[in-house]
Amino acid sequence: MPKPGWYYRLSEYFKKEFGHKVMKIPVHAGFTCPNRDGTLSTEGCIFCYNAGFSPAAYNDDEGLSDYFNEVFSSVKDQVYRFIARHEKAGIIKNKNPHENPKNKYLVYYQTYTNTYGNLVLLSALYGKALELPGVVGLSIATRPDCLSPGTIDLIGYYAEDHHVWVEIGLQSASDETLEAINRGHTADQLAVVAEKFKKHRARLCVHIINGLPGEDRSQMMETIDFINKLPVHGIKFHQLQVIRGTPLEEMHRRGEVTPLSLPEYLDIVCSQLERLREDIVVHRLMSEVTDPDLLIAPHWEIKRGNFSQRVEKELKRRKSFQGAENMSCVN
């Protein structure tokens, strides 16, 4: 039985899988989103900052090669810059430390919907990234409604020989909430996609947001119940953050939305962990904005690492751990 304070950290998972540390390299590959380009909506989710939103990924065969060369050149530069920053000792010894990196990496296609494009383009972007030195796999951020059978099979192909995560934004298991935040898909669409991935070796990580407008604690716990029933392997927890330039900002100014306080969020996350299946890997416990000037609320002034320590301390205080509630049910 797990000890009090325990939850299944991603670092622990990587150590078990690889025997050493693996780092994610976040990259922006120029993708857009069907919730912004007019396919579903032009407004986007109410919490999404889109002032610098990228143009739609190239979907025509004509000129695709030139488009790919431009995009992948940017991706490769982002990867090499990340490696250079994290391997300073190698820079001194080698003019090109990225040619023989000391560490192992996953290329994380992070920004917007990274399966929303021509299959030929997706195949080229994924395949070429896996050829970069030190790269042992991919992490692909997307939406449940942007995973066609062809895209799932493509990802499954690369997952046969590489470590591949598919990070899917669910946010809530309540369709009423999803409609209220203009998400553009239902919870059941995630369930359908998760079943289709069962025949492949790709790992699924579900993103959720606590504190969404209109949701109470019981609904946030129901989202965990929903995830527990699915064949998923990981989860990312986020707190609702009010960002400048979003529809959520206007709702906040009108007093329609009040973000969770740090104690409220800590209590909810710990309770969710107690209910979460023991085998689901926790990729993240809270969010951090890349530009603090964009954040309107909440201002917690705590780093992710410090928050993780608080979670562990609170679970120990409760004499609890991830999956404790499920174990007590079994007993």
Side-chain angles (χ1 to χ4, degrees), residues 168-329:
I168 308 176
L170 171 64
Q171 320 313 357
S172 170
S174 165
D175 286 343
E176 183 178 350
T177 298
L178 295 177
E179 183 177 358
I181 65 175
N182 197 42
R183 185 66 186 165
H185 64 72
T186 64
D188 187 59
Q189 284 176 279
L190 171 62
V192 171
V193 163
E195 285 296 320
K196 291 180 179 178
F197 264 108
K198 283 175 67 174
K199 66 179 181 179
H200 297 296
R201 297 182 63 184
R203 300 149 176 88
L204 304 187
C205 175
V206 178
H207 291 222
I208 67 169
I209 298 177
N210 287 321
L212 289 168
E215 285 214 337
D216 58 21
R217 180 190 179 92
S218 65
Q219 288 172 295
M220 297 179 220
M221 299 303 292
E222 286 168 4
T223 292
I224 299 299
D225 293 337
F226 178 77
I227 291 171
N228 278 341
K229 297 174 184 177
L230 302 179
V232 302
H233 312 82
I235 188 171
K236 273 189 180 178
F237 295 89
H238 303 261
Q239 74 276 25
L240 182 68
Q241 297 181 101
V242 182
I243 306 298
R244 297 186 191 280
T246 65
L248 191 62
E249 177 186 7
E250 296 304 316
M251 296 174 66
H252 181 259
R253 294 192 188 282
R254 293 193 299 266
E256 299 170 6
V257 175
T258 302
L260 296 170
S261 68
L262 179 56
E264 288 173 328
Y265 184 72
L266 176 63
D267 177 62
I268 290 168
V269 167
C270 288
S271 296
Q272 288 175 319
L273 285 171
E274 289 176 319
R275 187 172 292 192
L276 186 68
R277 264 189 6 236
E278 183 184 350
D279 63 293
I280 294 179
V281 183
V282 178
H283 287 231
R284 177 182 293 170
L285 289 169
M286 64 167 282
S287 301
E288 287 180 326
V289 295
T290 53
D291 184 353
D293 292 335
L294 291 175
L295 181 64
I296 293 175
H299 290 286
W300 291 347
E301 297 183 354
I302 185 172
K303 298 294 184 182
R304 284 205 300 259
N306 298 125
F307 182 73
S308 299
Q309 293 172 2
R310 290 201 187 186
V311 167
E312 184 176 350
K313 183 178 179 179
E314 172 60 16
L315 288 174
K316 287 180 178 178
R317 187 193 69 78
R318 299 183 184 190
K319 298 181 180 179
S320 192
F321 47 85
Q322 180 180 332
E325 188 172 319
N326 298 328
M327 287 187 176
S328 61
C329 289

Side-chain angles (χ1 to χ4, degrees), residues 17-285:
E17 287 286 309
F18 293 96
H20 52 73
K21 184 177 181 179
V22 176
M23 301 178 70
K24 284 186 178 182
I25 304 178
V27 298
H28 187 343
F31 288 97
T32 183
C33 173
N35 208 23
R36 289 292 301 184
D37 70 0
T39 301
L40 295 174
S41 169
T42 58
E43 300 300 319
C45 304
I46 63 171
F47 52 78
C48 191
Y49 176 69
N50 293 298
F53 210 91
S54 307
Y58 206 99
N59 283 298
D60 298 319
D61 291 334
E62 185 179 353
L64 185 59
S65 178
D66 290 340
Y67 180 81
F68 164 74
N69 289 335
E70 178 182 348
V71 171
F72 188 68
S73 177
S74 171
V75 168
K76 185 166 61 174
D77 287 345
Q78 292 173 66
V79 169
Y80 284 171
R81 285 199 302 270
F82 184 98
I83 291 175
R85 285 198 307 270
H86 288 81
E87 301 194 5
K88 293 181 180 180
I91 295 174
I92 298 172
K93 299 175 183 178
N94 187 338
K95 292 182 180 180
N96 297 302
H98 47 260
E99 292 182 357
N100 187 28
K102 297 180 296 180
N103 300 309
K104 300 301 179 185
Y105 300 94
L106 300 184
V107 173
Y108 180 18
Y109 285 103
Q110 179 182 32
T111 311
Y112 306 121
T113 307
N114 295 267
T115 59
Y116 188 50
N118 183 295
L119 280 177
V120 176
L121 173 66
L122 296 180
S123 179
L125 284 173
Y126 301 160
K128 284 296 183 182
L130 290 167
E131 293 176 5
L132 296 175
V135 173
V136 295
L138 303 172
S139 194
I140 304 166
T142 186
R143 297 161 49 95
D145 55 334
C146 290
L147 286 161
S148 67
T151 304
I152 291 173
D153 287 343
L154 175 66
I155 293 172
Y157 167 78
Y158 287 114
E160 283 297 313
D161 298 312
H162 301 87
H163 193 90
V164 178
W165 282 93
V166 183
E167 302 200 20
I168 308 176
L170 171 64
Q171 320 313 357
S172 170
S174 165
D175 286 343
E176 183 178 350
T177 298
L178 295 177
E179 183 177 358
I181 65 175
N182 197 42
R183 185 66 186 165
H185 64 72
T186 64
D188 187 59
Q189 284 176 279
L190 171 62
V192 171
V193 163
E195 285 296 320
K196 291 180 179 178
F197 264 108
K198 283 175 67 174
K199 66 179 181 179
H200 297 296
R201 297 182 63 184
R203 300 149 176 88
L204 304 187
C205 175
V206 178
H207 291 222
I208 67 169
I209 298 177
N210 287 321
L212 289 168
E215 285 214 337
D216 58 21
R217 180 190 179 92
S218 65
Q219 288 172 295
M220 297 179 220
M221 299 303 292
E222 286 168 4
T223 292
I224 299 299
D225 293 337
F226 178 77
I227 291 171
N228 278 341
K229 297 174 184 177
L230 302 179
V232 302
H233 312 82
I235 188 171
K236 273 189 180 178
F237 295 89
H238 303 261
Q239 74 276 25
L240 182 68
Q241 297 181 101
V242 182
I243 306 298
R244 297 186 191 280
T246 65
L248 191 62
E249 177 186 7
E250 296 304 316
M251 296 174 66
H252 181 259
R253 294 192 188 282
R254 293 193 299 266
E256 299 170 6
V257 175
T258 302
L260 296 170
S261 68
L262 179 56
E264 288 173 328
Y265 184 72
L266 176 63
D267 177 62
I268 290 168
V269 167
C270 288
S271 296
Q272 288 175 319
L273 285 171
E274 289 176 319
R275 187 172 292 192
L276 186 68
R277 264 189 6 236
E278 183 184 350
D279 63 293
I280 294 179
V281 183
V282 178
H283 287 231
R284 177 182 293 170
L285 289 169

